[in-house]
Amino acid sequence: MKNLLALTAVFATLSTASTALAAENCRVVNMGFNPAQDSAAVLTNGTAIAKYLETKIRGIQIKTSVAQDYQALVEATRSGKLDFAWLSPVSYVQAHDQAKAVVLLKSVRNGGPYYWSAFVVRKDSGIKSLADLRGKTIAWIDPNSAAGYTFPRATLVAKGIDPDTFFSKQTFAGKHDAAVLALANGSVDVIATFSNNTQGNSGSWTQYLSADKAAALAPVVYSKPIPGDTLSVRADYQSGCSEVTARIRSAIVGMKSDPAAAGLLKKLYTIDAMIPAQDSDYNVVRQAIAASAKK
């Protein structure tokens, strides 16, 4: 009987220690951000969101980082270095397949959970249509960018155009702000970048350039709508830290109606709000990835 009681005490101690360890692992949260624009600005704005979340969820500490590129954010999720990641649509699909990432939320801009890719040119270039882009030089963003590579390539393929022979030269700008600067400075003829609508008055060129420089640029072709970029979580973190995951998700959804959070999402990635998402929302992205793949 004494031995049984001793064993029971040992198991109880081990269980308590295990619970405490799990709680400690859940308390420290590693959150990574997509380097879609100037990394220093993303880190500053991402850290502001992390500090806000810490005030809403007592006892957690959020460590923030910005990945070197899109693929590095996926790899950091796969390797367990990140618990949460702000992933582009293409990066989310990759992280879901490679790292068992689970989408929690997607972004809303201008009243809808979609955005577009646009081929943008200088107004004085004489380029007015898709056909005029033949033989021009283009700057894509990143091979894993939805608006800056996957969807614009899929748009060309859908029209029977081979993107790899259509342009005279292809480069990667790495980030949307770098791409619009390259276009404005005349380094390339056209860029593939994000647009917040299909009216031509809101996109990377209006966000990262002064009003006079932005007015000198114009989109000539748009892609199909792209589902909003995501906040995703590593599946094993969600299963082991379900309460923290749920509270972070809830707090970010609530930011749109909290005066203390006004502008934080807007400063981060020009997001108006984050709303619930599910994996099937990104099937259109999977189709675009398949269509845009090099043959």
Side-chain angles (χ1 to χ4, degrees):
M1 184 64 179
K2 289 182 178 180
N3 289 340
L4 180 59
L5 290 173
L7 284 172
T8 300
V10 168
F11 285 132
T13 300
L14 290 174
S15 177
T16 300
S18 177
T19 301
L21 178 60
E24 177 64 19
N25 289 340
C26 295
R27 187 184 70 81
V28 179
V29 177
N30 292 291
M31 183 175 285
F33 291 86
N34 179 26
Q37 59 199 60
D38 178 66
S39 294
V42 172
L43 184 60
T44 296
N45 296 325
T47 300
I49 289 176
K51 295 300 182 186
Y52 169 79
L53 294 174
E54 288 175 352
T55 67
K56 303 298 288 186
I57 307 168
R58 181 175 298 179
I60 69 165
Q61 175 188 1
I62 300 179
K63 298 180 178 180
T64 57
S65 62
V66 179
Q68 181 177 352
D69 55 34
Y70 289 65
Q71 184 56 40
L73 192 60
V74 175
E75 175 57 27
T77 304
R78 188 199 64 77
S79 65
K81 293 179 181 177
L82 293 177
D83 306 312
F84 293 84
W86 296 74
L87 294 161
S88 75
V90 171
S91 293
Y92 161 68
V93 168
Q94 293 173 333
H96 177 271
D97 295 344
Q98 300 172 22
K100 298 181 179 178
V102 178
V103 64
L104 298 175
L105 304 171
K106 60 184 176 182
S107 61
V108 173
R109 297 179 178 89
N110 295 320
Y114 298 97
Y115 64 111
W116 290 260
S117 173
F119 288 106
V120 181
V121 301
R122 292 183 300 279
K123 289 181 178 178
D124 64 4
S125 66
I127 300 171
K128 304 296 182 183
S129 67
L130 177 61
D132 295 334
L133 295 177
R134 183 178 296 277
K136 304 302 182 183
T137 59
I138 185 170
W140 309 104
I141 304 302
D142 182 283
N144 296 317
S145 170
Y149 189 71
T150 301
F151 274 77
R153 280 179 64 92
T155 299
L156 295 177
V157 171
K159 296 180 181 296
I161 296 171
D162 181 351
D164 295 317
T165 60
F166 187 62
F167 300 103
S168 61
K169 183 180 179 181
Q170 303 179 73
T171 60
F172 287 101
K175 300 176 182 180
H176 290 276
D177 52 355
V180 293
L181 286 172
L183 179 62
N185 294 337
S187 299
V188 294
D189 299 318
V190 57
I191 61 172
T193 187
F194 69 82
S195 180
N196 296 321
N197 58 37
T198 56
Q199 283 74 56
N201 57 14
S202 180
S204 62
W205 62 101
T206 62
Q207 184 172 328
Y208 301 127
L209 296 176
S210 61
D212 59 328
K213 288 186 177 181
L217 307 182
V220 291
V221 180
Y222 295 97
S223 72
K224 292 180 178 179
I226 307 170
D229 34 324
T230 79
L231 174 68
S232 299
V233 64
R234 211 176 67 247
D236 55 350
Y237 181 90
Q238 183 184 40
S239 62
C241 304
S242 58
E243 182 180 354
V244 173
T245 300
R247 294 184 70 183
I248 287 177
R249 180 178 182 271
S250 178
I252 292 177
V253 168
M255 289 177 72
K256 66 180 181 295
S257 55
D258 185 348
L264 293 182
L265 290 171
K266 198 80 169 180
K267 288 180 180 178
L268 180 63
Y269 297 127
T270 324
I271 295 170
D272 295 327
M274 297 293 286
I275 62 174
Q278 57 189 6
D279 180 70
S280 60
D281 296 342
Y282 295 85
N283 286 341
V284 65
V285 179
R286 294 181 171 92
Q287 295 166 6
I289 291 172
S292 66
K294 291 188 177 183
K295 306 302 181 184

